[in-house]
Amino acid sequence: MKRFVICAAIVAAAMSFIGCQRSQAPVLFHPQGQPQTLGEWHVLSSDGTRLTLNQGVEPYALNTALFSDYAHKLRTIWMPPGTKAKYDANDAFDFPVGTIISKTFYYPRAEGGAVLRVAEQKGESANGLDLSKVRLIETRLLVRRQTGWTALPYVWNEAQTEATLARAGDTVPLTMHKPDGSAKTDFAYQVPDENQCAGCHSTNNTTRELHPIGPKARHLNRDDPWHPGENQLAHMVSLGRLEGLPGAGVAHNARLDDASASVESRARAYLDVNCGHCHSQVGPADTSGLWLDAGTDDTRRLGLCKPPVAAGQGTGDHLFDIVPGKPDDSILVYRMSSLDPGAMMPEVGRATVHEEGVAVVRQWIADWLGNCTSDGAHVAMR
């Protein structure tokens, strides 16, 4: 009898634990409409002290990420049970209807309500996010519906307990500095509106359909930060979430912060993820003639001694997109370094200059040899 009581107590405790584990309702895919709060999707939840991921919501990371005013990002993918994404060698994977991709923007906290400009730390989001250490700004959802992808931006409240749909975008004033208190910057963090979301995610200028940007083989082909010793793509396969992954020959973009990688590979990876979705043969900036995606090898298309097509004041009175050996004479560096709305590139998504990214692109251009003639021809050095 005593043994039965003990066993019953153990079972009761186990059931209580399971009940706590399952207290969050399953992910809820909305096939239409625009839910007004992030919580209605049940992808992420916050009690004001910790942001947690629901069951089946998998985090992922990119080799080199798009710059967003030094914000850190927790990226996740949820797919309906039993479904898989289809591998694509160059473009974003083909995700099934019902897929929800989330990207949460946040900053490490500093004293006095400021935020810190520091790189993401290993294990920072291993079990969600500790909100005593970080401040949530926004979460963007990209939802795969029957009619295509839908982009929905949600802004977190001051209590950090819920995020509300911001169809018209939003502005969040922030003060950012380095841990030693230097490089103090006051800026207005911009949450994009629906049109701005579409402006970046409409990666094909002909169809104008929205598509994911980050979930591509070359961006995802890396060590999995949440599962040490595993490749991120291989882990997706092991979870039954990806089909068609080849055994070899998968493209790989360099990491911007990898000092062991060549300057060229780091610069090209940075330009690919930050600019290549627009500046490509089929992207919204196709008529510019400047293609910065990973698949472009033609140096003229990459900007070498290429005069601008319709940059206007964005040239800064410079003559060519890239002048070999002279980053200060190159339009590309000028626009990346500018905060002038009429000149800065990218046009949206930042209110500060990414010093580290600009530095790598500057060095890449400085390493090029030759000269540009007045009519735009490249003369190689002999």
Side-chain angles (χ1 to χ4, degrees), residues 28-360:
L28 180 60
F29 171 70
H30 296 266
Q32 58 188 4
Q34 297 180 317
Q36 293 302 296
T37 63
L38 181 64
E40 294 175 62
W41 295 90
H42 301 165
V43 172
L44 307 167
S45 65
S46 171
D47 60 2
T49 62
R50 177 170 289 278
L51 181 74
T52 58
L53 281 58
N54 205 347
Q55 184 176 1
V57 177
E58 287 291 325
Y60 70 95
L62 309 182
N63 281 310
T64 292
L66 187 145
F67 174 71
S68 305
D69 289 328
Y70 291 99
H72 297 197
K73 300 168 188 175
L74 174 59
R75 301 171 178 83
T76 72
I77 296 177
W78 180 86
M79 287 179 270
T83 64
K84 298 181 181 181
K86 296 179 181 179
Y87 172 86
D88 189 289
N90 300 308
D91 297 326
F93 295 162
D94 183 9
F95 290 95
V97 171
T99 297
I100 304 172
I101 298 176
S102 81
K103 183 162 61 171
T104 298
F105 297 68
Y106 66 95
Y107 288 93
R109 292 182 181 271
E111 294 182 359
V115 297
L116 291 177
R117 176 182 150 183
V118 293
E120 291 185 38
Q121 304 299 308
K122 185 176 181 180
E124 183 174 275
S125 58
N127 298 301
L129 293 171
D130 181 350
L131 302 185
S132 69
K133 297 180 180 179
V134 304
R135 175 183 173 182
L136 305 175
I137 305 296
E138 60 163 324
T139 294
R140 301 176 193 174
L141 297 187
L142 201 57
V143 182
R144 179 67 170 88
R145 290 170 165 165
Q146 193 67 48
T147 54
W149 290 95
T150 299
L152 300 167
Y154 292 87
V155 178
W156 286 92
N157 60 17
E158 287 294 328
Q160 304 278 268
T161 54
E162 184 60 278
T164 304
L165 183 66
R167 294 182 59 187
D170 201 357
T171 300
V172 182
L174 293 174
T175 297
M176 179 172 60
H177 57 72
K178 292 182 177 180
D180 61 4
S182 65
K184 182 176 179 180
T185 303
D186 294 318
F187 69 101
Y189 178 99
Q190 298 293 324
V191 177
D193 59 35
E194 288 182 331
N195 290 332
Q196 290 170 325
C197 289
C200 284
H201 285 278
S202 297
T203 55
N204 187 301
N205 204 31
T206 300
T207 66
R208 303 301 296 169
E209 294 176 350
L210 273 63
H211 291 282
I213 295 173
K216 300 175 182 176
R218 60 184 179 273
H219 300 318
L220 298 175
N221 187 11
R222 55 165 291 168
D223 291 337
D224 191 322
W226 297 274
H227 303 90
E230 288 191 61
N231 175 274
Q232 195 166 228
L233 293 175
H235 182 69
M236 289 182 68
V237 173
S238 70
L239 291 176
R241 291 310 202 185
L242 178 64
E243 62 182 3
L245 179 69
V250 180
H252 169 266
N253 268 12
R255 292 188 56 163
L256 181 70
D257 60 357
D258 183 3
S260 67
S262 69
V263 169
E264 179 181 9
S265 64
R266 293 159 65 195
R268 288 300 308 275
Y270 183 82
L271 293 172
D272 178 35
V273 75
N274 281 275
C275 315
H277 49 280
C278 283
H279 283 273
S280 72
Q281 188 173 0
V282 298
D286 55 351
T287 58
S288 70
L290 181 66
W291 301 345
L292 300 173
D293 59 303
T296 298
D297 294 320
D298 184 341
T299 55
R300 182 73 168 188
R301 292 294 188 185
L302 288 172
L304 180 61
C305 297
K306 190 190 81 62
V309 174
Q313 70 184 73
T315 65
D317 295 325
H318 301 311
L319 298 177
F320 306 110
D321 291 332
I322 290 179
V323 179
K326 298 180 179 180
D328 288 329
D329 293 342
S330 302
I331 297 172
L332 183 60
V333 169
Y334 171 74
R335 302 195 76 170
M336 290 177 62
S337 305
S338 177
L339 292 177
D340 179 350
M344 63 185 288
M345 280 290 176
E347 297 174 313
V348 297
R350 70 177 180 91
T352 60
V353 175
H354 190 194
E355 297 175 7
E356 296 80 2
V358 172
V360 170

